[in-house]
Amino acid sequence: MELIPKWFFELNPMIQALIGGLFTWGMTALGAAVVFMTKNVGQKTLDSMLGFAAGVMIAASVWSLIIPAIEMTEAMGGIGWIPAATGFLVGGLFLRVCDAYLPHLHIGLPRSDAEGVSTSWRRSTLLVLAITLHNIPEGLAIGVLFGAAATGIDPTGTATIAGAIVLAMGIGIQNLPEGTAVSVPLRREGVGTGKSFFYGQLSGAVEPAFAVLGALAVIFVQPILPFALAFAAGAMIYVVVEELVPESQLHGNTDLATLGTMVGFVLMMTLDVALG
């Protein structure tokens, strides 16, 4: 039995990207659905889950995005580190600007610590926006890889549909605990079960849209491909360092969160090398 059916490889790359984004959104919803079974997921478990998500994103940024961007540029006769470094920094800067202006609140912090422009929005809304913000680069990364595979301009063969599928799988796996990390704290705070689930899954809703946008960008502006790969990586690493790692260690579970990060890194690296 084939792991990926042949018909998937024949689809329009934007449809492939959409399916990849819908899969990662679905995994977010699956994680958020934990609130229908319990509202007492331990803090140690949640922190190790966030650490795991951080590890997956770091490995995906390196093996699925940065390394292909460098190899692609060099194979086309360019200086490999220039678009990789530039795209990486611009991706981080893009998230920093979004972070500065979009109202949001990181998990585990009081309402008074909300970031972005001042607003009267409720705590639950701000929590969802924080996770939604960092799902944007994940969606872009999926779309960029599917678009890259479709262009056929990668002389190294590193940007493949199989590689894009592996990236979507990895991001989907790490979205599972993220959905839980949003919905369970909301349920603990007295938000209804249905609303907690709705807000938890809503954080992943941006991924299908940005996956399609990422595919469109590299298909119609092919020269930006290495830059786009590095841009997505920079945005993802910004999220890891600014949000996931601090939140995973906020409650003193430093060792568990760190081990979770290492497990997530190894899992994503293995998926990418073995299957991508």
Side-chain angles (χ1 to χ4, degrees), residues 228-247:
L229 289 168
F231 177 94
M236 288 172 67
I237 293 297
Y238 182 92
V239 167
V240 169
V241 178
E242 195 270 342
E243 183 177 342
L244 290 180
V245 170
E247 286 171 15

Side-chain angles (χ1 to χ4, degrees), residues 34-269:
V34 167
V35 291
F36 291 113
M37 297 178 284
T38 180
K39 66 175 180 180
N40 295 315
V41 177
Q43 191 59 55
K44 288 183 177 181
T45 301
L46 289 174
D47 289 344
S48 60
M49 284 179 168
L50 287 172
F52 175 85
V56 170
M57 289 180 72
I58 293 170
S61 297
V62 176
W63 268 271
S64 297
L65 301 170
I66 291 290
I67 291 176
I70 293 172
E71 292 179 348
M72 206 176 296
T73 304
E74 290 177 343
M76 291 187 288
I79 301 173
W81 63 268
I82 293 180
T86 304
F88 186 85
L89 292 174
V90 172
L93 181 61
F94 168 76
L95 256 290
R96 175 65 189 97
V97 171
C98 292
D99 206 42
Y101 291 100
L102 180 69
H104 63 285
L105 177 66
H106 296 306
I107 298 169
L109 298 179
R111 174 66 178 76
S112 58
D113 286 346
E115 299 177 19
V117 297
S118 180
T119 178
S120 59
W121 294 348
R122 287 192 282 181
R123 172 181 167 82
S124 57
T125 303
L126 295 173
L127 283 170
V128 173
L129 284 173
I131 301 295
T132 301
L133 177 61
H134 93 228
N135 281 344
I136 290 174
E138 294 174 8
L140 283 174
I142 293 169
V144 166
L145 266 189
F146 275 114
T151 62
I153 65 168
D154 175 17
T156 68
T158 54
T160 63
I161 293 176
I165 291 171
V166 168
L167 178 63
M169 288 170 56
I171 289 176
I173 289 169
Q174 65 98 20
N175 275 2
L176 192 67
E178 282 185 5
T180 303
V182 175
S183 62
V184 169
L186 290 175
R187 186 71 187 92
R188 281 181 185 166
E189 293 173 8
V191 178
T193 303
K195 278 191 175 180
S196 296
F197 167 75
F198 175 76
Y199 286 131
Q201 64 81 32
L202 189 63
S203 64
V206 297
E207 293 195 9
F210 278 89
V212 173
L213 285 175
L216 272 171
V218 297
I219 288 171
F220 289 102
V221 193
Q222 294 182 10
I224 71 166
L225 179 51
F227 176 89
L229 289 168
F231 177 94
M236 288 172 67
I237 293 297
Y238 182 92
V239 167
V240 169
V241 178
E242 195 270 342
E243 183 177 342
L244 290 180
V245 170
E247 286 171 15
S248 71
Q249 304 195 5
L250 190 64
H251 302 93
N253 298 313
T254 303
D255 292 340
L256 276 176
T258 302
L259 288 172
T261 301
M262 296 180 71
V263 171
F265 184 94
V266 169
L267 176 63
M268 185 63 215
M269 177 186 68

Side-chain angles (χ1 to χ4, degrees), residues 1-14:
M1 183 176 178
E2 295 177 343
L3 183 62
I4 306 298
K6 289 182 179 179
W7 58 260
F8 183 85
F9 292 85
E10 298 171 359
L11 293 174
N12 182 287
M14 286 178 286

